[in-house]
Amino acid sequence: MVSSLIGPDFSQAPIVSFNLVGTQIYIPIPDECNQDTKCSESNIVSLDDESIYNIKNPDYLLIKHLLKTKFRYLDGSDELEAGQIRVEMDVLKIDSYRPADCNSVFRKSEFLDFYFYLVQYEERKMRDPENREKDDKYLIYPQCRDDIKELNYDGSSSWLFAICGYAEVTRPYRTFVTPITNNHVLSIMVSISGFDFGSVELEQQLVAEVDQYILDFIKSIRIDYSPETLAEIQRVRGDVTA
């Protein structure tokens, strides 16, 4: 029987919070992870101010780094380090970078179209001739909308989830996205390192366990929308049900 991993307890962890123009985001960060955690300013009064963004590629989305952290996991049988999960949380500013018929990312079908559009762009960049040293057989990206999964937790914010990246040596990363305004998306990229000792079967079992820990972390994040955003969500959902 495979030994369980020992890792952070998100249910009892202190909370790191961000105020994004009235929308509050609460993220549990265990005390033992503090030294591996970096955060931006906690109060952001405008997401339309381009000066706050860390990455300003005119051919892509603007990206604001909110938080980076790392969770370490021990092998339950000997308490030696088995591997790590690295988390990067960003705000993406959409602007015109969306499909032509995507009017509201709060409408689930349109947000799915936007996210699929985004991962298709990333895949095209990976297949660019400048990256021809990369073997296409190691590229892992959603090939259709059904490859992107929706996660809903007890009426809290819903997330879209996909596995993406180049998997010749490292594992593909897990990405989670959810809208926080009609022009801004909260993005979480999770990468996995380690968990590669023993047999292939053992490694697969450990990674499956790690994936459950990742989902537990995503589930533990709470988003309290601003009154303006809540009103927009209700308006869009009304459009959907009308």
Side-chain angles (χ1 to χ4, degrees):
M1 183 176 178
V2 178
S3 299
S4 296
L5 296 169
I6 300 173
D9 181 358
F10 301 119
S11 66
Q12 302 297 322
I15 300 298
V16 171
S17 65
F18 296 93
N19 178 359
L20 306 182
V21 199
T23 289
Q24 305 286 337
I25 302 173
Y26 302 96
I27 307 133
I29 301 294
D31 287 332
E32 64 267 28
C33 304
N34 285 342
Q35 64 180 3
D36 296 317
T37 301
K38 295 181 180 180
C39 299
S40 75
E41 65 274 27
S42 61
N43 186 41
I44 298 176
V45 297
S46 174
L47 290 172
D48 293 322
D49 179 3
E50 294 191 0
S51 68
I52 72 168
Y53 290 88
N54 304 96
I55 299 177
K56 305 172 186 177
N57 184 338
D59 299 322
Y60 194 60
L61 304 166
L62 274 67
I63 301 175
K64 166 67 175 176
H65 299 321
L66 281 187
L67 178 144
K68 292 184 180 182
T69 192
K70 179 167 57 180
F71 305 137
R72 302 173 189 270
Y73 289 85
L74 307 179
D75 183 344
S77 64
D78 54 20
E79 297 195 7
L80 297 177
E81 184 167 314
Q84 302 174 355
I85 296 172
R86 295 177 182 269
V87 175
E88 297 184 13
M89 178 180 291
D90 300 320
V91 172
L92 312 180
K93 188 170 186 283
I94 302 172
D95 288 334
S96 60
Y97 193 89
R98 67 175 83 204
D101 58 353
C102 179
N103 297 309
S104 176
V105 292
F106 289 121
R107 187 172 287 112
K108 290 185 177 182
S109 61
E110 294 184 21
F111 187 51
L112 177 60
D113 288 344
F114 161 75
Y115 187 42
F116 187 54
Y117 182 80
L118 182 65
V119 296
Q120 283 184 309
Y121 172 85
E122 293 177 353
E123 182 178 9
R124 287 195 300 271
K125 293 291 288 183
M126 291 295 290
R127 295 184 187 276
D128 188 277
E130 294 182 1
N131 293 322
R132 291 320 300 168
E133 71 276 6
K134 297 185 182 296
D135 191 327
D136 285 356
K137 71 180 181 182
Y138 295 111
L139 288 175
I140 298 178
Y141 284 92
Q143 297 303 301
C144 65
R145 287 163 178 77
D146 288 343
D147 291 338
I148 297 172
K149 306 305 179 184
E150 183 180 6
L151 306 175
N152 290 289
Y153 295 117
D154 300 326
S156 60
S157 303
S158 63
W159 298 80
L160 294 183
F161 161 65
I163 295 178
C164 306
Y166 187 73
E168 181 178 12
V169 178
T170 59
R171 295 186 181 88
Y173 51 88
R174 282 76 170 139
T175 62
F176 303 83
V177 292
T178 190
I180 52 174
T181 80
N182 191 32
N183 198 38
H184 302 88
V185 171
L186 187 65
S187 169
I188 300 177
M189 185 176 76
V190 182
S191 57
I192 299 172
S193 61
F195 309 103
D196 53 3
F197 53 87
S199 65
V200 173
E201 180 182 3
L202 174 58
E203 179 181 344
Q204 292 173 342
Q205 291 174 333
L206 288 174
V207 171
E209 190 172 349
V210 169
D211 275 327
Q212 186 57 56
Y213 280 119
I214 293 171
L215 294 179
D216 289 344
F217 171 67
I218 298 298
K219 181 179 180 180
S220 70
I221 297 171
R222 192 175 97 234
I223 301 176
D224 291 345
Y225 296 105
S226 69
E228 295 80 7
T229 299
L230 273 176
E232 184 171 4
I233 292 172
Q234 292 166 356
R235 178 186 64 79
V236 169
R237 288 177 178 172
D239 290 343
V240 171
T241 58

